[in-house]
Amino acid sequence: MSFETDLEFGKDAEKLILKQIQVKYPLAFMIEGKFKAFDIFVPEIEEGVEVKCDRQAESTGNVFIEIECNGVMSGIQTTKSGWYIYKTVSRTFWVRTGVIRRYLIQKAKDLPMFCNTPKGEHSAVRGYLIPIEDFALLKGKL
């Protein structure tokens, strides 16, 4: 896996998620560029959607929820999205952002912290590892 293939997987996932959302909400659209608040906007419900992709979740048994990048709050702490869509190789989880935040508040002391600088990147990210089956229980429906 490289930065380029991860980026391609992420872009493909965003397009797939957008198409799925547009079945119910045809006005939904992708936010292009470096807009940090969310990836997709759904005008019909006035909510943003954050799409996260992880090709290693099945092999590690965990999803990674970012909380910091280069010492600055990021990820789940700063998103303005109402929904977090987490795409792995074989599964897609639709979870309310607030549900993830509440889960982390309740469970943070029991979850492993993960720090890494992804291959091909210069940013150091920090976040929590949530067992994938626990994360599956948080799912909702958009």
Side-chain angles (χ1 to χ4, degrees):
M1 285 183 257
S2 68
F3 175 77
E4 290 79 20
T5 57
D6 285 344
L7 182 61
E8 184 179 332
F9 178 72
K11 292 294 180 192
D12 289 345
E14 286 177 351
K15 291 174 190 171
L16 175 70
I17 298 300
L18 177 60
K19 284 182 182 179
Q20 291 174 346
I21 292 170
Q22 287 175 328
V23 169
K24 186 172 181 180
Y25 302 109
L27 298 179
F29 62 91
M30 192 83 64
I31 304 290
E32 300 296 333
K34 292 238 176 216
F35 185 74
K36 296 195 184 262
F38 41 81
D39 300 312
I40 297 170
F41 184 67
V42 185
E44 293 94 330
I45 58 172
E46 297 183 4
E47 284 202 304
V49 175
E50 184 73 28
V51 179
K52 295 296 179 188
C53 299
D54 186 345
R55 293 192 300 170
Q56 298 179 0
E58 274 96 3
S59 62
T60 66
N62 297 299
V63 299
F64 174 74
I65 302 297
E66 180 182 320
I67 62 163
E68 186 179 286
C69 182
N70 293 329
V72 177
M73 285 191 335
S74 63
I76 197 73
Q77 293 195 97
T78 59
T79 185
K80 305 284 189 235
S81 70
W83 286 90
Y84 232 63
I85 312 304
Y86 202 95
K87 174 83 175 96
T88 69
V89 171
S90 64
R91 298 167 78 176
T92 304
F93 302 96
W94 301 69
V95 185
R96 296 290 301 181
T97 304
V99 170
I100 299 171
R101 288 178 176 144
R102 285 188 295 279
Y103 178 88
L104 290 175
I105 289 167
Q106 293 172 352
K107 303 281 188 177
K109 67 182 183 312
D110 301 321
L111 295 172
M113 178 69 66
F114 183 76
C115 303
N116 188 31
T117 300
K119 192 174 192 173
E121 293 189 34
H122 303 288
S123 56
V125 294
R126 190 167 76 100
Y128 290 101
L129 296 175
I130 300 176
I132 199 166
E133 294 311 322
D134 290 353
F135 194 73
L137 297 174
L138 303 178
K139 70 182 179 185
K141 187 164 175 134
L142 178 64

Short mmCIF file of all heavy atoms in Angstrom, two decimals, residues 51-73:
data_model
loop_
_atom_site.label_atom_id
_atom_site.label_comp_id
_atom_site.label_asym_id
_atom_site.label_seq_id
_atom_site.Cartn_x
_atom_site.Cartn_y
_atom_site.Cartn_z
N VAL A 51 -16.16 11.06 5.06
CA VAL A 51 -15.88 9.72 4.58
C VAL A 51 -14.45 9.35 4.97
O VAL A 51 -13.51 10.06 4.61
CB VAL A 51 -16.06 9.60 3.05
CG1 VAL A 51 -15.74 8.18 2.58
CG2 VAL A 51 -17.46 10.01 2.63
N LYS A 52 -14.30 8.27 5.69
CA LYS A 52 -12.99 7.76 6.09
C LYS A 52 -12.81 6.37 5.50
O LYS A 52 -13.74 5.58 5.46
CB LYS A 52 -12.87 7.69 7.62
CG LYS A 52 -12.91 9.04 8.28
CD LYS A 52 -11.73 9.87 7.87
CE LYS A 52 -11.74 11.24 8.51
NZ LYS A 52 -10.71 12.11 7.98
N CYS A 53 -11.60 6.08 5.06
CA CYS A 53 -11.31 4.79 4.43
C CYS A 53 -10.14 4.13 5.14
O CYS A 53 -9.19 4.80 5.55
CB CYS A 53 -10.96 5.00 2.97
SG CYS A 53 -12.31 5.73 2.06
N ASP A 54 -10.23 2.82 5.26
CA ASP A 54 -9.20 2.06 5.97
C ASP A 54 -9.10 0.67 5.34
O ASP A 54 -9.96 -0.16 5.54
CB ASP A 54 -9.57 1.97 7.45
CG ASP A 54 -8.50 1.34 8.31
OD1 ASP A 54 -7.58 0.70 7.76
OD2 ASP A 54 -8.59 1.48 9.53
N ARG A 55 -8.02 0.45 4.60
CA ARG A 55 -7.84 -0.86 3.96
C ARG A 55 -7.23 -1.89 4.90
O ARG A 55 -7.11 -3.04 4.53
CB ARG A 55 -6.97 -0.71 2.71
CG ARG A 55 -7.67 0.09 1.64
CD ARG A 55 -7.00 0.02 0.31
NE ARG A 55 -5.64 0.54 0.37
CZ ARG A 55 -4.77 0.42 -0.61
NH1 ARG A 55 -5.10 -0.24 -1.70
NH2 ARG A 55 -3.57 0.93 -0.51
N GLN A 56 -6.84 -1.48 6.10
CA GLN A 56 -6.21 -2.41 7.03
C GLN A 56 -7.13 -2.84 8.17
O GLN A 56 -6.75 -3.68 8.98
CB GLN A 56 -4.94 -1.79 7.61
CG GLN A 56 -3.90 -1.50 6.57
CD GLN A 56 -2.65 -0.86 7.16
OE1 GLN A 56 -2.57 -0.63 8.36
NE2 GLN A 56 -1.69 -0.58 6.33
N ALA A 57 -8.31 -2.29 8.25
CA ALA A 57 -9.19 -2.54 9.39
C ALA A 57 -9.49 -4.03 9.59
O ALA A 57 -9.45 -4.52 10.72
CB ALA A 57 -10.50 -1.76 9.26
N GLU A 58 -9.79 -4.73 8.51
CA GLU A 58 -10.09 -6.16 8.66
C GLU A 58 -8.88 -6.95 9.18
O GLU A 58 -9.02 -7.83 10.01
CB GLU A 58 -10.59 -6.77 7.35
CG GLU A 58 -12.07 -6.61 7.15
CD GLU A 58 -12.42 -5.40 6.30
OE1 GLU A 58 -11.51 -4.71 5.81
OE2 GLU A 58 -13.63 -5.14 6.13
N SER A 59 -7.69 -6.60 8.70
CA SER A 59 -6.51 -7.36 9.12
C SER A 59 -6.07 -7.00 10.54
O SER A 59 -5.55 -7.85 11.26
CB SER A 59 -5.35 -7.16 8.14
OG SER A 59 -4.95 -5.81 8.10
N THR A 60 -6.31 -5.76 10.97
CA THR A 60 -5.93 -5.38 12.34
C THR A 60 -7.05 -5.64 13.34
O THR A 60 -6.79 -5.74 14.53
CB THR A 60 -5.57 -3.88 12.42
OG1 THR A 60 -6.74 -3.09 12.15
CG2 THR A 60 -4.44 -3.52 11.46
N GLY A 61 -8.30 -5.71 12.84
CA GLY A 61 -9.44 -5.88 13.73
C GLY A 61 -9.90 -4.59 14.39
O GLY A 61 -10.73 -4.61 15.29
N ASN A 62 -9.35 -3.45 13.93
CA ASN A 62 -9.67 -2.15 14.52
C ASN A 62 -9.96 -1.11 13.46
O ASN A 62 -9.43 -1.18 12.35
CB ASN A 62 -8.48 -1.63 15.35
CG ASN A 62 -8.14 -2.50 16.51
OD1 ASN A 62 -8.97 -2.71 17.39
ND2 ASN A 62 -6.93 -3.03 16.53
N VAL A 63 -10.77 -0.12 13.82
CA VAL A 63 -10.88 1.10 13.02
C VAL A 63 -10.09 2.17 13.75
O VAL A 63 -9.95 2.14 14.98
CB VAL A 63 -12.35 1.54 12.80
CG1 VAL A 63 -13.13 0.48 12.07
CG2 VAL A 63 -13.03 1.91 14.09
N PHE A 64 -9.54 3.10 12.99
CA PHE A 64 -8.73 4.18 13.54
C PHE A 64 -9.53 5.47 13.48
O PHE A 64 -9.97 5.88 12.41
CB PHE A 64 -7.43 4.32 12.75
CG PHE A 64 -6.60 5.51 13.16
CD1 PHE A 64 -5.90 5.49 14.35
CD2 PHE A 64 -6.53 6.63 12.35
CE1 PHE A 64 -5.14 6.58 14.73
CE2 PHE A 64 -5.77 7.73 12.73
CZ PHE A 64 -5.07 7.71 13.92
N ILE A 65 -9.70 6.11 14.63
CA ILE A 65 -10.41 7.39 14.69
C ILE A 65 -9.40 8.47 15.08
O ILE A 65 -8.93 8.53 16.21
CB ILE A 65 -11.59 7.35 15.69
CG1 ILE A 65 -12.58 6.24 15.33
CG2 ILE A 65 -12.28 8.71 15.76
CD1 ILE A 65 -13.27 6.41 13.99
N GLU A 66 -9.08 9.30 14.10
CA GLU A 66 -8.08 10.37 14.29
C GLU A 66 -8.62 11.45 15.22
O GLU A 66 -9.77 11.86 15.11
CB GLU A 66 -7.74 10.97 12.93
CG GLU A 66 -6.73 12.09 12.99
CD GLU A 66 -6.47 12.70 11.63
OE1 GLU A 66 -6.39 11.95 10.62
OE2 GLU A 66 -6.34 13.94 11.56
N ILE A 67 -7.72 11.92 16.11
CA ILE A 67 -8.07 13.03 16.99
C ILE A 67 -7.08 14.19 16.88
O ILE A 67 -7.37 15.29 17.34
CB ILE A 67 -8.17 12.59 18.47
CG1 ILE A 67 -6.83 12.07 18.97
CG2 ILE A 67 -9.30 11.59 18.66
CD1 ILE A 67 -6.73 11.99 20.49
N GLU A 68 -5.91 13.92 16.26
CA GLU A 68 -4.87 14.95 16.22
C GLU A 68 -3.94 14.73 15.04
O GLU A 68 -3.65 13.58 14.66
CB GLU A 68 -4.07 14.85 17.52
CG GLU A 68 -3.04 15.92 17.75
CD GLU A 68 -2.35 15.71 19.09
OE1 GLU A 68 -2.98 15.98 20.13
OE2 GLU A 68 -1.20 15.25 19.09
N CYS A 69 -3.46 15.83 14.46
CA CYS A 69 -2.49 15.76 13.38
C CYS A 69 -1.44 16.85 13.62
O CYS A 69 -1.79 18.03 13.77
CB CYS A 69 -3.17 15.96 12.03
SG CYS A 69 -2.05 15.84 10.63
N ASN A 70 -0.19 16.44 13.70
CA ASN A 70 0.91 17.37 13.96
C ASN A 70 0.68 18.23 15.21
O ASN A 70 0.96 19.43 15.22
CB ASN A 70 1.18 18.25 12.74
CG ASN A 70 1.71 17.46 11.58
OD1 ASN A 70 2.40 16.46 11.75
ND2 ASN A 70 1.37 17.88 10.38
N GLY A 71 0.13 17.61 16.24
CA GLY A 71 -0.09 18.30 17.50
C GLY A 71 -1.30 19.21 17.55
O GLY A 71 -1.52 19.91 18.53
N VAL A 72 -2.12 19.20 16.49
CA VAL A 72 -3.30 20.06 16.41
C VAL A 72 -4.54 19.17 16.34
O VAL A 72 -4.56 18.17 15.62
CB VAL A 72 -3.23 20.96 15.15
CG1 VAL A 72 -4.49 21.81 15.02
CG2 VAL A 72 -1.99 21.83 15.18
N MET A 73 -5.60 19.55 17.07
CA MET A 73 -6.84 18.79 17.02
C MET A 73 -7.30 18.63 15.58
O MET A 73 -7.23 19.57 14.80
CB MET A 73 -7.95 19.49 17.83
CG MET A 73 -7.81 19.36 19.31
SD MET A 73 -9.26 19.91 20.28
CE MET A 73 -10.09 21.07 19.28
#
